[in-house]
Amino acid sequence: MDIARRNNVTVTGNPQGRTVMLAHGFGCDQNMWRLTLPALVDDYRVVLFDYVGSGRSDAAAFSEDRYASLNGYAQDVVEVCEALDLRDVAFVGHSVSAMIGVLAAGMAPERIGAHVMVAPSPCYIDDDGYRGGFTAEDIGELLESLESNYLGWSAAMAPVIMGNADRPELGEELKNSFCATDPDMARVFARTTFLSDSRDDLKNVNVPTLVLECTQDVIAPREVGAFVYEAIPGSTLVTLEATGHCPHLSAPEATNEALRSFLADLR
C-alpha cells in the first residue's frame, strides 16, 4: 500500500532538522496547521498527514472495523513513520490526536521521542474524581445529533468548539472543515473519539511532554489539562492566553512560542 498517498503525507521544512509530526484532530485535516508551519520550517523537518477518512486521504482505505478504535488511527501514525523511516519524532497532536500519539508511541517507541499535546483529553466523560467536561448523557445526545444530521450538527457545534465568538470566521472555517468530511466516516471518528478512555495509557508516557491548554475550552476544560499533566511524570503544562479548542488557529503566536521553546530544549 502506498502509505504516503493513503494518508496524503506532506514533508516540508529543513531536511537536516529534527522531525516534527503534526497530527490534526476530529473533523479537521493538515491544513489546520498552516499557521504553525512558518514557525517550524526553517529549523525542523515537518511531516503532515491526514487520517484515513479526513482531508485528502484515500477514502478507499477506510475500514469501520479498524477505525472504531483509536488504535486504528495510531496504526496510521506508526505506518507513516515506518514508510518514511522516522525515528525520535516530536509528535504534536491536537485534541484526540494527543492520545493517538500516546498509543502510537506504545506500539513503536523508537519512532516517537517527544509529545506536544494541544488541548488534549484522555476521556471526555465525567467519572468519579475526574471531570472530562461531559456527562454520559451529554455525549449520547451529541452523538445522536451528529449521526442524525451531521451537517446541522457541524453548523451548530463548530462555533462552540472554536470559541472566539468575536471572530466568527474561525468558527466558519471549522464548520467548513467538518462539512468537507464524509459524514459516514466522520460518525465513526466521532464515536471513537468521544467514547474513548485513554487515562490509563498516560502512565506509560516516558518521553519529554508538553501539555498546552487554553484558559477556556468547552471540549477540554482546565481540569483535564491538570489531569494529563499530573499523570505524565516530568511533563510541562503551559496555559495559553487563548480561548476555544483550537489555539493553533485562534492564538497561533502564543501556541508557536510555547512549541518552539519546548522543541529547542530537546536539542
Side-chain angles (χ1 to χ4, degrees):
M1 179 181 293
D2 184 348
I3 302 299
R5 182 175 63 84
R6 184 194 70 182
N7 288 100
N8 188 32
V9 176
T10 302
V11 181
T12 187
N14 183 347
Q16 305 305 315
R18 182 175 187 147
T19 299
V20 178
M21 177 177 277
L22 303 177
H24 64 83
F26 164 75
C28 300
D29 61 21
Q30 61 185 265
N31 184 57
M32 291 293 179
W33 295 108
R34 68 185 183 281
L35 302 181
T36 303
L37 274 180
L40 298 177
V41 291
D42 287 345
D43 298 314
Y44 301 97
R45 182 189 188 199
V46 184
V47 176
L48 304 101
F49 68 99
D50 298 330
Y51 290 112
V52 173
S54 302
R56 296 185 178 180
S57 64
D58 182 1
F62 185 82
S63 163
E64 185 167 347
D65 287 341
R66 173 168 172 148
Y67 298 110
S69 163
L70 291 185
N71 287 320
Y73 297 97
Q75 191 63 44
D76 275 11
V77 172
V78 171
E79 290 174 5
V80 170
C81 289
E82 290 174 345
L84 298 177
D85 194 24
L86 304 180
R87 297 178 183 273
D88 202 28
V89 168
F91 185 88
V92 183
H94 172 231
S95 191
V96 69
S97 268
M99 299 305 111
I100 292 172
V102 169
L103 296 173
M107 295 175 181
E110 73 281 5
R111 302 291 179 183
I112 295 178
H115 293 282
V116 178
M117 301 181 174
V118 183
S121 180
C123 181
Y124 297 87
I125 298 176
D126 298 339
D127 197 1
D128 291 340
Y130 174 80
R131 181 175 180 240
F134 301 88
T135 66
E137 291 75 16
D138 291 335
I139 293 297
E141 292 173 2
L142 181 152
L143 292 173
E144 182 179 352
S145 173
L146 184 151
E147 291 171 2
S148 64
N149 182 2
Y150 179 66
L151 296 182
W153 179 89
S154 299
M157 286 300 298
V160 176
I161 294 170
M162 179 61 73
N164 297 274
D166 59 329
R167 300 164 67 191
E169 69 278 6
L170 294 177
E172 184 70 13
E173 176 176 350
L174 188 59
K175 182 199 79 171
N176 291 339
S177 179
F178 284 171
C179 292
T181 305
D182 179 274
D184 291 332
M185 298 179 190
R187 291 182 189 107
V188 173
F189 198 1
R191 182 166 289 277
T192 302
T193 295
F194 289 110
L195 296 179
S196 64
D197 186 350
S198 300
R199 287 176 289 175
D200 286 346
D201 297 302
L202 295 175
K203 67 179 183 293
N204 299 321
V205 177
N206 58 5
V207 296
T209 299
L210 172 64
V211 180
L212 295 179
E213 66 174 6
C214 297
T215 56
Q216 298 179 37
D217 183 346
V218 299
I219 300 297
R222 292 187 65 179
E223 291 90 339
V224 174
F227 179 90
V228 173
Y229 165 65
E230 291 170 4
I232 301 176
S235 62
T236 300
L237 175 64
V238 173
T239 303
L240 301 170
E241 287 299 322
T243 59
H245 192 55
C246 304
H248 47 313
L249 290 178
S250 63
E253 296 85 0
T255 304
N256 294 343
E257 180 181 355
L259 174 58
R260 282 187 55 84
S261 176
F262 174 76
L263 292 174
D265 287 343
L266 295 178
R267 294 175 179 172

